Amino acid sequence: MVLKPEPIYDAYRSIVDGLEEKPKVIYLSPRGNVFNQQKAIELSKEKHLILLCGHYEGVDQRVIDEIVDEEISIGDYVLTGGELPAMVVIDAICRNIEGVLNNESIQDESFNNGLLEYPQYTRPEVFMGRRVPDVLLSGHHANIEKWRREQSEKITRERRPDLIK
Ligand code: 4H6
């Protein structure tokens, strides 16, 4: 079963008519360009977005050709609909919008420096005989930063060597 074009086009018009700027329209599909952090940051700068979700066997190609600006996939696997990919994309985009997150957490995180995140610890100092690394308790901020950088590089080399240029 393929979703017919007219109701989708009508829904699109009902959103767009009266807007000053035409929203970018994204179709979530396994055939799209694979989504990543760079794309999330890029899309977070758009004033408006419309996410079109296929279900069943997808959407009639003619309405895609008529209204879609970009086709995006969240990875190489098949789902029953584009709704979960849309939620994934919305979450990844919104957290890059000023004021959505409260603090510095967006600065340091995985991928923002192109590397995977270093390990995180909190209290207690000892859990099941496992200690928080001494350097993190030292209060020496330069050493802590250096340790985190080294950990990020090590874990990226081990798990995702493709991320190291
Ligand atoms: C559009 C076209 C996205 C939407 C076809 C959607 C995976 C992703 C869908 C389909 C999706 C992804 C219908 C094709 C079911 C496969 C919905 N699956 N499909 N990776 N499915 O982002 O058969």
Side-chain angles (χ1 to χ4, degrees):
M1 189 157 51
V2 176
L3 290 160
K4 65 193 300 198
E6 301 94 318
I8 290 170
Y9 187 71
D10 291 348
Y12 166 77
R13 296 289 334 175
S14 78
I15 297 166
V16 168
D17 287 346
L19 290 181
E20 307 207 329
E21 252 176 277
K22 199 185 104 44
K24 174 166 278 188
V25 179
I26 293 167
Y27 182 50
L28 289 310
S29 117
R31 293 191 342 194
N33 300 320
V34 179
F35 191 63
N36 61 20
Q37 186 64 18
Q38 186 197 320
K39 181 58 73 177
I41 291 167
E42 180 190 314
L43 293 175
S44 73
K45 297 173 171 61
E46 294 284 333
K47 177 111 180 268
H48 300 292
L49 290 172
I50 293 175
L51 304 188
L52 174 59
C53 303
H55 211 97
Y56 311 109
E57 293 164 272
V59 173
D60 187 291
Q61 186 62 39
R62 291 166 293 174
V63 73
I64 297 172
D65 294 341
E66 184 64 29
I67 70 174
V68 170
D69 297 303
E70 198 169 334
E71 211 161 315
I72 288 179
S73 162
I74 62 161
D76 292 336
Y77 39 82
V78 176
L79 302 165
T80 53
E83 298 84 358
L84 289 169
M87 286 196 270
V88 167
V89 165
I90 289 165
D91 188 275
I93 291 171
C94 289
R95 60 196 302 292
N96 293 293
I97 296 169
E98 179 78 30
V100 169
L101 298 187
N102 47 354
N103 55 30
E104 77 284 353
S105 54
I106 195 162
Q107 279 302 317
D108 267 21
E109 73 194 357
S110 289
F111 294 116
N112 276 1
N113 58 8
L115 300 173
L116 299 181
E117 202 183 31
Y118 49 80
Q120 300 280 10
Y121 297 89
T122 184
R123 281 165 289 281
E125 276 183 41
V126 186
F127 166 72
M128 304 290 277
R130 300 167 188 269
R131 292 192 55 76
V132 171
D134 282 332
V135 62
L136 299 180
L137 305 170
S138 69
H140 192 304
H141 293 291
N143 285 353
I144 290 171
E145 228 173 275
K146 178 165 173 286
W147 180 87
R148 286 177 167 166
R149 178 82 199 176
E150 288 164 357
Q151 291 293 312
S152 275
E153 286 170 0
K154 177 168 180 288
I155 207 154
T156 306
R157 240 182 287 116
E158 288 167 1
R159 297 187 184 182
R160 293 295 304 279
D162 59 295
L163 293 177
I164 297 170
K165 36 260 138 197

